[in-house]
Amino acid sequence: QVRLEESGGGLVQAGGSLRLSCAASGRIFSSYAMGWFRQAPGKQRDLVAAITSGGIVYYVDSVKGRFTISRDSAKNTVYLQMNSLKPEDTSVYYCAVKQYAGRWLDDRQYDYWGQGTQVTVSS
């Protein structure tokens, strides 16, 4: 059984910072890509940032220059450093793991998901 455990969410004022962590445990044979997604009430789930095992990263335009994704492959852990937070970043953030190569920007291709952590940015 695979489990993804997220931590680091919370309430912060606009301009503040949070660091999300996600540790994967269980029988994961491979973790080609690890990503962070977010979903606000009534909206679709969107990819925020993702990173491959080779270190290739992707950021959605709205977070470029503010968020940084990183991973510790030995620990099967992915991080999301979020700086200069804005009220529009308020959402539930989910981490996910895609085991094998290909289409790593497509949320439907991810194999395992965390339970989500709430990030709330007040104005």
Side-chain angles (χ1 to χ4, degrees):
Q1 183 178 357
V2 174
R3 180 182 179 189
L4 302 185
E5 186 170 355
E6 298 137 334
S7 60
L11 172 65
V12 65
Q13 289 187 332
S17 298
L18 286 173
R19 187 187 193 219
L20 305 183
S21 300
C22 174
S25 59
R27 295 176 62 86
I28 294 182
F29 296 101
S30 174
S31 56
Y32 169 73
M34 303 182 79
W36 288 97
F37 297 78
R38 65 187 178 188
Q39 186 171 23
K43 295 188 176 182
Q44 68 179 20
R45 182 173 61 194
D46 293 323
L47 174 62
V48 176
I51 184 168
T52 70
S53 55
I56 301 172
V57 298
Y58 166 86
Y59 296 100
V60 68
D61 285 347
S62 60
V63 308
K64 286 180 179 177
R66 301 188 296 123
F67 291 11
T68 302
I69 189 170
S70 61
R71 65 185 285 175
D72 183 335
S73 294
K75 297 181 179 180
N76 267 337
T77 300
V78 63
Y79 307 95
L80 186 67
Q81 178 66 44
M82 305 185 294
N83 299 328
S84 302
L85 281 160
K86 303 176 181 180
E88 51 263 44
D89 295 317
T90 295
S91 192
V92 178
Y93 284 70
Y94 299 89
C95 70
V97 170
K98 185 182 187 306
Q99 292 193 93
Y100 303 109
R103 300 178 65 184
W104 59 291
L105 302 183
D106 183 348
D107 65 337
R108 296 167 296 178
Q109 303 299 317
Y110 278 72
D111 302 291
Y112 304 108
W113 291 84
Q115 78 287 350
T117 186
Q118 177 70 45
V119 171
T120 303
V121 185
S122 63
S123 57

